[in-house]
Amino acid sequence: MNPEPLPQFPYNRDVAASDSIVASDQVCECCGASRGYIYVNNIYTTHQVEHLCPWCIADGSAARKFSAHFIDGDFYDENDDQVELSAEYRDAVFSRTVGFSTFNPVSWWVHCGEPAAYVKRESDYGMLFQCRKCNQFQVMMDYD
């Protein structure tokens, strides 16, 4: 098996480091292809779906086919106030970005008017985000 290069996820800097995508010859239940990787984290849907490839998540076809999203959360600013953003941003982050393990729904940091990029787990309870416009960092807490 010679896996394809992973697709880019603008709101998740390093999907390999998030342990949500693993090498696999499993067939994707959305596109029917075996592309060398499979998503192994939460799939929020009413359908029975276990195997999705990162490409179907990135292009939105998995979300459309299974009415699914891959991150449970809302948008928040650095003061921990909830922020309303457009449906396009909500779709890009929660339905076309691979998820990662959290204790609670994600407080996805918003800065400069748009969602920041998830960088990594900073500590047991801290999630590091970086603004895509000004490059400022922010740790959002994820207490259990």
Side-chain angles (χ1 to χ4, degrees):
M1 173 177 62
N2 195 7
E4 297 178 36
L6 287 170
Q8 295 297 306
F9 292 92
Y11 296 101
N12 188 331
R13 281 278 159 75
D14 188 356
V15 295
S18 68
D19 295 328
S20 295
I21 296 174
V22 298
S24 173
D25 60 358
Q26 191 68 251
V27 172
C28 174
E29 295 174 48
C30 185
C31 67
S34 175
R35 300 173 88 173
Y37 292 98
I38 208 76
Y39 175 72
V40 293
N41 212 311
N42 292 325
I43 303 169
Y44 299 96
T45 181
T46 58
H47 299 271
Q48 294 294 324
V49 183
E50 292 183 28
H51 303 106
L52 294 173
C53 73
W55 293 267
C56 287
I57 295 172
D59 71 13
S61 57
R64 286 188 301 276
K65 184 172 185 173
F66 299 111
S67 298
H69 60 276
F70 306 96
I71 298 168
D72 182 22
D74 277 303
F75 296 124
Y76 289 85
D77 65 17
E78 60 272 1
N79 299 316
D80 211 26
D81 292 326
Q82 192 169 355
V83 177
E84 291 298 321
L85 292 180
S86 69
E88 290 82 21
Y89 280 135
R90 181 164 286 286
D91 179 61
V93 171
F94 301 118
S95 299
R96 292 190 329 233
T97 299
V98 296
F100 44 88
S101 295
T102 62
F103 296 109
N104 295 294
V106 174
S107 295
W108 200 282
W109 187 47
V110 171
H111 197 258
C112 294
E114 71 173 53
Y118 172 77
V119 178
K120 65 179 181 175
R121 178 69 71 172
E122 181 71 5
S123 65
D124 287 345
Y125 299 105
M127 299 176 297
L128 183 64
F129 290 86
Q130 185 176 22
C131 180
R132 293 169 31 105
K133 289 185 178 178
C134 75
N135 295 318
Q136 181 176 328
F137 287 95
Q138 175 76 22
V139 174
M140 301 297 281
M141 301 311 292
D142 178 32
Y143 296 116
D144 61 354

